[in-house]
Amino acid sequence: MKKTLLFLLTITIIFSTALTASAALDAEAIGMGDNFSTMTGEAAYYSNPAGLALRDNNFALKANLGFSIWNNVFENSEFSKDEIESKLTGEDLILAGRSAFGTQFYYKNFALAVNGRAEGMLKTDSDAAEILTGDTPEISLESLQDKGSVTVEFGDSAGGAAATADVSLSYARQIFRNWSNNSHNIESVYFGATYHYLEGEIYKFSGGGTIKATVNENSGDPYVEYSTSDAEFYENHSKDGEATGDAFDFGLAIKTSNDYTFAFSAMNIGELSADSSVIDGTGYGVTTENNPNDTLTENNLSGEEGKITYQLPRVYRLGMKKEFSQNTVLYADYSRVSYDGGQNDNIYAFGSEFRKNKFIPLRLGVNYSSLREDIEVAAGMGINISNNVKVNLGIADLLALSDSAKGVKFGISTLIGF
């Protein structure tokens, strides 16, 4: 069980280290269930730079902290050894996370930000996950009872992560007003863009080869018989602080005269690279020495490698917002996230904000992720200490109250504006 916890903890630390580090997490957005493309004001920094053109303040200073960790298999009550082993049987494991810590300075149409970023994902074959997370490398006899044999494909393991410092510059403005005499419903069109300079570390997770496990019942008690073919799992990472790169965000928002807003954004368009890297991993073999049964053995893989690149998770968002009144706003968004390991996540989200109490606006939202294969429920609130000072909180997944959450998100931010 120690190896199980160590494996999960290592991945979690890589994905959620906020002090060297992720973007795309805002307390208001977390509270409504997603980073909606139609968000406006300072909250739009992580979702659509066009929304920055709709700020209420001439000058603002915002600090935020947030993190998100999720998987597609385990719910928040399922972390005993037996539950982990049973859940991993027959289902690929996906671990993902991101974190955010930073400060943004806003002045008129511009924003200058200094942030940390950490984000990444690992997907691995279910049987490979059992080997990676077990106390000893093995495919249990219990998991083979109904199958007879399995072939573990380490080549199906893929993923990547990055932990970087991020300095960015944003610009947003109104580009059309009363678009044409024949388009009375279009009140305004806004455009925004952000440039990020990134510097830090990148990680790539991969594997290769196979392990075949078969139940041998020919003599005595049944046992697991193994054969391997260049089976290995390894992590390739840049040397300390040597990875650099650029990224761009673009966004467009259309505001209509009947209180609808439609928006599109493309975020995290870019990659990181380093000229040299280091490999750290494990190779697997088979031995029967001093044991009538087959045993999987491990040997360390390490060495120097050449150039390494990591594509940032690209996010494309399309959404709409309806302001039913000054007190009630509803959001709907579709977003697609493309990860470096080749995984694609389709997210459908609905959110709401209620401002009847102007001092404590309340937020509620829900989203569905095709990779997480689960619904997430979120809630949040604002605390308007004065017209110039605001605090926002967001948390998910509220399904943890019924022991059925597959992840956790939390965000807090403070804003001072004039």
Side-chain angles (χ1 to χ4, degrees), residues 342-354:
Q343 306 90 354
N344 293 301
D345 195 7
N346 297 292
I347 302 172
Y348 306 87
F350 300 91
S352 58
E353 185 173 29
F354 306 98

Side-chain angles (χ1 to χ4, degrees), residues 344-405:
N344 293 301
D345 195 7
N346 297 292
I347 302 172
Y348 306 87
F350 300 91
S352 58
E353 185 173 29
F354 306 98
R355 309 167 184 158
K356 188 170 184 179
N357 186 328
K358 66 178 182 178
F359 298 106
I360 306 178
L362 301 177
R363 304 177 183 106
L364 185 67
V366 62
N367 70 69
Y368 173 82
S369 161
S370 62
L371 284 181
R372 195 180 62 235
E373 298 180 335
D374 194 27
I375 291 175
E376 179 182 77
V377 179
M381 62 183 293
I383 304 173
N384 297 334
I385 299 173
S386 70
N387 290 333
N388 304 114
V389 181
K390 301 178 181 179
V391 178
N392 288 292
L393 300 167
I395 188 169
D397 180 3
L398 297 186
L399 294 177
L401 299 174
S402 60
D403 292 332
S404 55

